[in-house]
């Protein structure tokens, strides 16, 4: 068994762990707006969700907000989810972003952490971009 096979097996172990691990969907996250107003999940604007998903220092907030974007069929949401999946360093956030991207766009995959395939699929969907 070579080093490449060992690395592939380890990658598959990590993917399997995140695929079967309960996500952050039901986890409450306390969030206050810039004016210190407590906001309930469904009352947060799409722009605020996307901005915080991309920039909040707490991975739990980024993951929760990525999840909350799964039904926001507005221009730029799919791209923001892909950007998060590409750049975030926490796998829980990547998973939430790609799950929401799949729910939002209809993209299907076996690998819940495969950003590259999602990006290629999205680029091929000329008529279905938001």
């Amino acid at each position: 068994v070579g080093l490449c096979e060992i690395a592939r097996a380890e990658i598959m172990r990590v993917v399997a762990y995140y695929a079967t691990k309960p996500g952050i969907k039901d986890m409450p996250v306390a969030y206050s707006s810039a004016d210190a107003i407590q906001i309930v999940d469904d009352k947060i604007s799409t722009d605020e969700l996307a901005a915080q998903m991309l920039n909040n220092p707490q991975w739990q907030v980024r993951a929760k907000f990525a999840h909350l974007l799964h039904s926001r069929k507005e221009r730029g949401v799919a791209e923001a989810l892909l950007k998060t999946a590409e750049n975030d360093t926490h796998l829980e956030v990547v998973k939430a972003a790609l799950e929401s991207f799949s729910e939002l766009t209809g993209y299907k995959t076996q690998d819940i952490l495969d950003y590259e395939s999602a990006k290629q699929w999205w680029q091929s969907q000329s008529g279905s971009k938001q």
Side-chain angles (χ1 to χ4, degrees):
V1 177
L3 190 56
C4 286
E5 289 85 13
I6 292 169
R8 265 195 286 274
E10 187 63 14
I11 289 169
M12 292 310 299
R13 186 184 70 76
V14 170
V15 169
Y17 170 77
Y18 278 95
T20 58
K21 179 179 182 278
I24 199 158
K25 292 178 183 178
D26 298 323
M27 185 176 134
V29 174
Y31 175 72
S32 296
S33 69
D35 6 345
I37 298 170
Q38 276 297 111
I39 303 176
V40 180
D41 293 348
D42 63 345
K43 302 295 184 218
I44 303 172
S45 74
T46 300
D47 288 342
E48 185 69 13
L49 286 174
Q52 291 298 318
M53 173 187 66
L54 291 164
N55 300 308
N56 195 289
Q58 297 178 10
W59 73 263
Q60 295 93 336
V61 172
R62 295 192 314 272
K64 179 68 175 188
F65 284 14
H67 166 69
L68 292 173
L69 285 167
H70 78 278
S71 63
R72 306 285 180 108
K73 296 183 183 243
E74 297 169 38
R75 170 167 260 133
V77 173
E79 291 82 359
L81 290 165
L82 283 176
K83 183 175 181 181
T84 296
E86 177 184 24
N87 297 318
D88 207 282
T89 58
H90 200 286
L91 291 180
E92 201 63 57
V93 178
V94 173
K95 174 186 174 185
L98 288 174
E99 284 177 340
S100 287
F101 176 80
S102 293
E103 288 180 49
L104 184 69
T105 64
Y107 171 71
K108 304 283 187 238
T109 184
Q110 297 296 316
D111 183 347
I112 53 102
L113 298 175
D114 184 6
Y115 156 77
E116 284 296 329
S117 294
K119 177 185 170 187
Q120 290 172 2
W121 178 85
W122 185 243
Q123 289 173 340
S124 74
Q125 303 300 304
S126 61
S128 66
K129 290 189 182 176
Q130 299 179 8

